[in-house]
Amino acid sequence: MLKNIRTVFVLLFICGIAYPLLMTMLAQVVMPVKAEGSLIKNESGEIIGSEMIGQSFKDPGYFHGRISSINYDAAGSGAPNYSPSNKEMIERTLNDIEEFSNENPTVDKADVPSDLMTNSASGLDPNVSPQGAIVQVPRIANERGLSEKSLYNLVDEYTESRSFGLFGEPRINVLKLNIALDELE
């Protein structure tokens, strides 16, 4: 019995204290920016977001990201697992398409990229597809009085390619893009 209790405490120490501390220290040395949450700071050093967690941009003068059913709250990561035939899902999607069409009257409903109307699995996705950003350019150019050409160039500049040339899809981090957008003015 005493041997079992001792084994439990030894394993508790190894798995619950020593291993997590070792991995945290290793992460701080090998990849300190990622270990700290990939935080994005402004010129005065204030944290304005993370590269890894999306934010809600409602102002028509900014690029909008993906829909988040959890309002980008990392404490509640996840999205409802609705089927495409779910009544709530259909209603929400139709409302979102209508809202998008009202904000972006130059975009035909059939041309609205699906990533702008769907949740990611976590509800925290900070990225949109290049097409998801491109369809928003006319609205932003109109709101900010900028040329569409300069915004298309900005979208192109902030488009990240597939990881290692193989994995994932081309994407744009919406927070980084909006920070660069503010710097254009």
Side-chain angles (χ1 to χ4, degrees):
M1 176 75 169
L2 188 58
K3 186 177 178 183
N4 292 341
I5 293 173
R6 195 172 344 157
T7 302
V8 167
F9 280 108
V10 168
L11 288 173
L12 181 66
F13 175 76
I14 291 170
C15 298
I17 297 172
Y19 181 76
L21 282 174
L22 180 65
M23 289 300 108
T24 301
M25 290 185 321
L26 182 65
Q28 290 288 339
V29 171
V30 175
M31 49 185 153
V33 172
K34 289 187 179 204
E36 291 295 322
S38 302
L39 301 175
I40 298 174
K41 298 177 182 178
N42 63 14
E43 302 82 36
S44 60
E46 295 173 89
I47 298 170
I48 55 174
S50 169
E51 289 181 38
M52 307 304 286
I53 298 176
Q55 293 185 14
S56 180
F57 291 95
K58 297 292 184 194
D59 187 306
Y62 285 102
F63 288 94
H64 299 173
R66 293 185 74 168
I67 291 167
S68 175
S69 59
I70 59 168
N71 200 27
Y72 298 106
D73 179 5
S77 177
N81 193 15
Y82 293 145
S83 73
S85 61
N86 181 281
K87 197 175 195 174
E88 256 183 73
M89 175 71 160
I90 293 169
E91 205 172 288
R92 185 204 48 88
T93 304
L94 291 173
N95 287 338
D96 290 338
I97 290 171
E98 193 62 38
E99 184 179 326
F100 183 86
S101 294
N102 290 339
E103 287 182 350
N104 301 276
T106 61
V107 180
D108 188 69
K109 286 182 183 181
D111 295 331
V112 178
S114 63
D115 64 310
L116 292 179
M117 297 297 117
T118 57
N119 280 309
S120 65
S122 67
L124 302 173
D125 192 355
N127 303 315
V128 294
S129 66
Q131 188 58 31
I134 288 169
V135 298
Q136 299 179 66
V137 164
R139 178 194 78 232
I140 295 165
N142 184 49
E143 284 289 322
R144 290 189 173 235
L146 297 169
S147 75
E148 287 187 19
K149 184 178 184 336
S150 67
L151 293 177
Y152 288 126
N153 289 339
L154 189 67
V155 167
D156 190 47
E157 180 183 339
Y158 279 84
T159 298
E160 299 173 34
S161 61
R162 298 171 188 263
S163 300
F164 306 110
L166 296 170
F167 305 109
E169 293 296 323
R171 62 205 170 275
I172 299 170
N173 185 290
V174 178
L175 177 58
K176 288 180 178 179
L177 183 61
N178 283 331
I179 291 169
L181 178 62
D182 282 342
E183 291 171 0
L184 278 180
E185 296 184 319

